[in-house]
Amino acid sequence: MKKFRIRKDDKVMVIAGKDKGKIGKILKILPKSDRVLVEKVNMVKRHTKGNPYSGQAGGIVEKEAPLAVSNVALVCDACAKPTRVGYRFTEDGKKVRFCKKCNQVIS
């Protein structure tokens, strides 16, 4: 299974594509296709058919489309910049992520 350096609920910035520069929270990670869903980024319109049995109305729905994981960078809470992620071990032996720009631990 693939291991990504970003996780669900991380704040990321889009670094390539039509939404370059936008910041959002990761909603879902799709490891099989190397993609992530970012909140309010890469919005597409889908035409949906109504279903009277489930009470679902038809029409045009706007929703997020997946982005390639290589097109997003984690935004550090401390320095508020997009950064690369490193790993280190704390004194109690716990593995944590840290910001390569400011050396702060990322929660």
Side-chain angles (χ1 to χ4, degrees), residues 63-75:
K63 64 180 199 174
E64 295 94 355
L67 283 169
V69 73
S70 62
N71 292 342
V72 296
L74 184 72
V75 175

Side-chain angles (χ1 to χ4, degrees), residues 13-48:
M13 179 184 279
V14 180
I15 57 174
K18 68 174 186 176
D19 291 322
K20 182 177 180 177
K22 287 188 180 178
I23 296 176
K25 186 175 77 166
I26 292 190
L27 300 174
K28 193 174 189 179
I29 295 182
L30 308 165
K32 286 185 179 177
S33 57
D34 288 342
R35 295 187 168 269
V36 292
L37 272 178
V38 182
E39 185 178 45
K40 302 291 182 199
V41 174
N42 199 20
M43 299 297 285
V44 294
K45 292 185 178 181
R46 287 286 173 256
H47 297 259
T48 59

